């Protein structure tokens, strides 16, 4: 199947803008007449430094990152942040609040227990994470070193629609799956981190936005590369960064800016998600997995309620060019991920395919 | 300047085979008719798994990695291994032997002190690391948990020409700058690691070859992503790996195999290095920085002995298309890195340029 005839609904790594991939293709062998591929450039060269600086500047502009906050490009994915956050923020004998609204928040809380006390401020496991806790449900500890949550739960298809109020306790947020999809008041956060492979770039680079005031408190056994202070001091280049991945992230950010920035992305994501949710709400075959007020605009999870029928749908969808719509094994059913690079055309085509499937399969 | 008119002598990230970059270019938008770029593939998909498995198999074949050893593709560069090695091997109250033959081995030794006792088995700092210690000089501790060394010192241009004998103490080796340039008896090593950006792939993936028997002894506060056991158990995919970087590594490995493997690379590197060293030995303007028996076949460091003249050479060389020949600030002078992807043509052209410079500048 050709690129023109397929729609990739993968949850991450996921579809990238075709325009960006075309630019990357045209520049791969020789970047701007430098005689080198970006893949071959010394990270200490002025030509690469320019790419790096432009990428940072583009992120800062798109998310209106205030001067109090540093932007880092690291490695190891969100899972490395699960350790890096407590290693740097917990301090000796400290404790932290975790809202467990899914698999990844749960893993983060588990990892944090290695480094301090963990207070589970909320846990939606009893409902198989079909919802997000209300502010009033959060059991907050005023002495916590930070409050941790995951803004969008890729597997379960739920999304926080509000920013938790935690007083003077710094907010730490895993935005891997909804960063750059709407404006964010960065000043409210101590740390925002995000693996790039959903909305920003190919896998292999993790963006961290950190209030500089939080750096420099790492536990004594913190690995050097897992110290925010090291990375702030060295502008993400203590050692060789993932240069090409950062370049790709830069291309995607430029594309985003050209589209109208995160304000336009918010408009589009709301429209795209509505196409699928409106249909799911009226369908007599399919239903959404997450509770309505908590549904994610990024990952639309749905099911027929019948395992065999679900499997058939995923299989027939793949044959028709709708790739990667099988749900995660923890939820089952189906999942359509509609990140920034996913087109309205793809979403409408999927809905039409679902409608046809419903006609054929609903008694 | 176009790609055809430049020679990139960067120490890493460094030149990649043009053939590989051309393949990457042709596959970037749509990999083998899948309708997706490799950058967009789910790491859990069968199509990506095939790329991953092929890459591992190619590495195993090229280096004849025995079944006792696992091949991992991690993130964070060699600097992350500086922590990961002691975190996993040191144990409670353990000690380790470090041979400090350069900047990176020194950083590794310093980092290891966070996790246990470090015995400096050798330190060539007194000679500004112009040489490698002899076997008889090594102060070995029979109770060390491991013996650590860096096989090639990129900055200083020295290279170990022998494998240290350490009895039952496992060898841990940073081969970032000379992996895949000659056959290696992997069975002699507990751990071999290498950042990819010199001989294997664009920056962003770190290869680790580890004797499985060494895994599972990590200190209790080891970050999950820095546990070799986690990564062995999950075949490097506890979380999303740097998928595209691994794909690129696979392309380079296939290119290597086509060239004749590491045996052919050994032949070529010896010839390429000789072109430069033979000239340096007879030049009346330039001289090599490292001591003759310890000179690296990867990074040829040289100087005129005159800072201003060195700077002029680097500048004129760059204008003539010889990129990145300025030496590292710790050594000064010049450095020509001649990894696998560097052509004999480039090396001969550089030597001719040096000869011309000598004629013009030697009284």
């Amino acid at each position: 199947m050709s690129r023109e005839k397929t729609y990739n609904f993968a949850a991450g790594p996921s579809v990238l803008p075709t325009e960006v991939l075309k630019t990357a293709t045209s520049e791969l062998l020789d970047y701007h007449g430098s005689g080198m591929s970006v893949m071959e450039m010394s990270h200490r060269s002025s030509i690469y430094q320019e790419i790096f600086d432009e990428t940072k500047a583009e992120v800062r502009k798109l998310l209106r990152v205030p001067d109090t906050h540093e932007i880092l490009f690291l490695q190891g994915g969100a899972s490395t942040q699960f350790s890096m956050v407590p290693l740097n923020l917990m301090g000796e004998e400290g404790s932290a609040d975790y809202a467990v609204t899914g698999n990844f928040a749960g893993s983060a809380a588990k990892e944090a227990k290695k480094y301090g006390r963990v207070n589970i401020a909320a846990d939606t496991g009893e409902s198989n994470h079909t919802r997000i806790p209300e502010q009033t449900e959060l059991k907050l500890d005023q002495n916590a070193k930070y409050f941790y949550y995951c803004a969008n739960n890729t597997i379960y298809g739920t999304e926080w629609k509000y920013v938790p109020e935690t007083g003077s306790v710094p907010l730490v947020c895993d935005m891997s799956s909804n960063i750059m999809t709407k404006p964010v008041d960065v000043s409210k956060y101590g740390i925002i981190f995000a693996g790039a492979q959903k909305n920003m770039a190919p896998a292999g680079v993790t963006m961290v936005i950190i209030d500089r005031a939080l750096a420099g408190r790492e536990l004594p056994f913190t690995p050097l590369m897992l110290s925010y202070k090291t990375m702030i001091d060295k502008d993400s280049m203590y050692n060789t960064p993932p240069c090409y991945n950062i370049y790709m992230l830069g291309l995607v950010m430029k594309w985003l800016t050209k589209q109208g920035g995160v304000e336009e992305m918010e408009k589009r994501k709301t429209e795209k998600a509505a196409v699928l949710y409106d249909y799911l709400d009226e369908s007599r075959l399919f239903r959404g997995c997450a509770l309505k007020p908590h549904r994610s605009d990024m990952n639309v999870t749905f099911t027929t309620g019948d395992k065999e029928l679900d499997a058939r749908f995923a299989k027939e969808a793949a044959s028709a060019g709708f790739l990667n719509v099988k749900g995660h094994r923890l939820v089952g059913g189906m999942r359509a991920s509609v990140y920034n690079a996913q087109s309205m055309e793809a979403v409408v085509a999927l809905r039409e395919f679902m409608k046809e499937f419903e006609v054929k399969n609903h008694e």
Side-chain angles (χ1 to χ4, degrees), chain A residues 17-75:
Chain A
T18 300
E19 200 182 315
V20 164
L21 294 177
K22 283 184 176 167
T23 304
T25 300
S26 72
E27 296 180 344
L28 199 145
L29 204 55
D30 189 345
Y31 177 80
H32 295 191
S34 65
M36 291 179 281
S37 173
V38 175
M39 298 182 190
E40 303 174 297
M41 288 177 185
S42 167
H43 58 298
R44 307 286 182 203
S45 65
S46 56
I47 190 167
Y48 184 73
Q49 188 68 50
E50 207 175 288
I51 293 172
F52 184 90
D53 291 343
E54 271 182 20
T55 302
K56 259 180 79 169
E58 205 72 50
V59 169
R60 192 170 287 279
K61 205 177 57 189
L62 279 162
L63 288 181
R64 296 198 182 107
V65 178
D67 287 344
T68 45
H69 286 60
E70 188 55 74
I71 299 163
L72 303 174
F73 299 118
L74 308 181
Q75 295 184 64

Side-chain angles (χ1 to χ4, degrees), chain A residues 201-220:
Chain A
V205 55
T206 312
M207 190 168 82
V208 174
I209 302 176
I210 178 171
D211 182 345
R212 287 191 198 85
L214 292 178
R217 307 177 193 177
E218 62 271 23
L219 290 167

Side-chain angles (χ1 to χ4, degrees), chain A residues 95-97 119 121 135 138-147 165-170:
Chain A
S95 79
D97 286 357
N119 167 44
Q135 170 75 44
L138 301 176
K139 295 186 200 85
L140 300 173
D141 171 8
Q142 297 295 347
N143 296 315
K145 296 292 183 185
Y146 58 91
F147 174 91
E165 288 287 345
T166 56
S168 62
V169 174

Side-chain angles (χ1 to χ4, degrees), chain A residues 244-363:
Chain A
Y244 192 75
N245 310 64
I246 295 170
Y247 154 78
M248 286 299 303
L249 194 147
L251 290 186
V252 174
M253 293 304 106
K254 281 178 194 167
W255 173 84
L256 252 181
T257 298
K258 226 169 89 182
Q259 303 301 306
V262 290
E263 292 77 12
E264 174 66 17
M265 288 303 118
E266 182 172 37
K267 194 170 147 269
R268 290 190 196 173
K269 77 158 173 112
T270 310
E271 288 168 6
K272 285 185 290 182
V275 166
L276 294 174
Y277 285 129
D278 287 351
Y279 165 62
L280 284 173
D281 286 343
E282 68 182 29
S283 171
R284 293 196 293 176
L285 181 65
F286 297 105
R287 58 179 168 78
C289 297
L291 294 185
K292 204 166 171 178
H294 310 289
R295 294 194 298 208
S296 164
D297 283 351
M298 294 294 111
N299 314 96
V300 178
T301 50
F302 58 99
T303 178
T304 64
D306 175 331
K307 272 187 185 180
E308 277 178 36
L309 202 54
D310 282 353
R312 181 136 58 86
F313 176 83
K315 201 179 158 191
E316 290 185 15
S319 302
F322 301 95
L323 308 178
N324 301 304
V325 298
K326 190 165 171 271
H328 190 279
R329 64 184 160 70
L330 291 175
V331 177
M334 280 74 72
R335 173 173 55 175
S337 295
V338 288
Y339 301 120
N340 284 344
Q342 194 64 280
S343 66
M344 178 58 101
E345 179 202 332
V347 173
V348 170
L350 177 62
R351 184 195 57 191
E352 295 310 304
F353 181 80
M354 289 168 72
K355 280 186 180 173
E356 285 169 33
F357 189 88
E358 174 172 345
V359 169
K360 280 188 283 184
N361 291 282
H362 183 64
E363 303 89 41

Side-chain angles (χ1 to χ4, degrees), chain A residues 10-12 104 150-158 176-178 198 296 298-301 328 331 335 337 339:
Chain A
F104 294 108
C150 178
N152 183 79
N153 300 287
T154 324
I155 292 176
Y156 299 93
T158 61
S176 293
S177 50
N178 70 353
K198 295 168 199 291
S296 164
M298 294 294 111
N299 314 96
V300 178
T301 50
H328 190 279
V331 177
R335 173 173 55 175
S337 295
Y339 301 120

